[in-house]
């Protein structure tokens, strides 16, 4: 009976290890996906920074022309400043998205570490249970041995 309970316990532990392994794999996949999204977001932020710098350069050029050019150049400078504000807003949004992704990656990483710790603990428990099951079987085998020679009672 205890061997059956031990086998059932081992089966439950193996199932739990499998579930934890799957959860770990999912967490790692999610972490990789979030890293990829973060890198993409970082590249977009860099592109936006470059666009912002370019817009600033255009705005300065338009301001220099302002003294020479009439009201039409003033409209161009206004347009450049509007574009700069738009790009700045987009940059701010991209930076906020980066921060959110960074937080999610940290959270996923801490969950992954917790899952790894749980997995190590479960595997340790399984090894311990397997050792105990092996020792229990040896003791049970020795206890059921029947002597092959009957003792001499003097007859």
């Amino acid at each position: 009976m205890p061997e059956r309970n031990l086998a059932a316990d081992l089966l439950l532990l193996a199932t739990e290890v499998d579930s934890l392994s799957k959860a770990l794999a999912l967490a790692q996949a999610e972490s990789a996906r979030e890293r990829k999204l973060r890198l993409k977001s970082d590249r977009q932020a860099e592109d936006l920074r470059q666009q912002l710098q370019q817009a600033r350069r255009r705005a300065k050029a338009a301001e220099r022309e302002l003294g020479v050019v009439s009201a039409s150049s003033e409209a161009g400078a206004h347009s450049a400043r509007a574009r700069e504000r738009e790009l700045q807003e987009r940059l701010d949004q991209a930076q906020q998205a980066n921060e959110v992704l960074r937080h999610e990656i940290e959270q996923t990483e801490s969950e992954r570490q917790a899952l790894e710790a749980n997995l190590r603990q479960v595997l340790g428990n399984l090894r311990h249970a397997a050792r105990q099951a092996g020792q229990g079987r040896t003791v049970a085998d020795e206890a059921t041995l029947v002597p092959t020679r009957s003792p001499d009672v003097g007859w």
Side-chain angles (χ1 to χ4, degrees), residues 34-150:
E34 288 177 0
R35 262 185 266 138
K36 184 188 283 186
L37 287 174
R38 180 173 174 221
L39 287 174
K40 181 181 177 184
S41 180
D42 286 345
R43 284 191 299 263
Q44 288 175 343
E46 182 59 34
D47 289 343
L48 290 174
R49 273 190 219 97
Q50 290 175 0
Q51 289 177 9
L52 180 59
Q53 287 174 352
Q54 185 179 10
R56 285 180 177 158
R57 286 191 297 267
R58 278 190 267 157
K60 287 180 183 180
E63 288 174 357
R64 279 191 300 267
E65 287 184 29
L66 187 60
V68 179
V69 181
S70 67
S72 64
S73 65
E74 186 176 322
H78 176 73
S79 168
R81 285 190 296 271
R83 174 85 170 138
E84 181 180 351
R85 282 191 302 273
E86 177 187 328
L87 289 173
Q88 184 63 47
E89 287 175 11
R90 288 175 54 192
L91 177 61
D92 291 344
Q93 289 173 355
Q95 288 173 338
Q96 288 174 355
N98 276 350
E99 198 57 40
V100 167
L101 287 173
R102 189 172 293 117
H103 175 71
E104 289 176 2
I105 287 172
E106 290 171 2
Q107 186 176 11
T108 301
E109 179 62 19
S110 69
E111 290 172 4
R112 183 192 63 76
Q113 289 173 355
L115 285 171
E116 279 183 344
N118 287 343
L119 181 60
R120 282 193 296 275
Q121 183 180 10
V122 167
L123 289 175
N125 290 344
L126 276 174
R127 285 188 205 99
H128 180 57
R131 280 193 297 268
Q132 285 184 340
Q135 290 173 356
R137 179 171 288 139
T138 304
V139 171
D141 289 345
E142 291 174 3
T144 58
L145 290 178
V146 177
T148 57
R149 204 169 147 216
S150 58

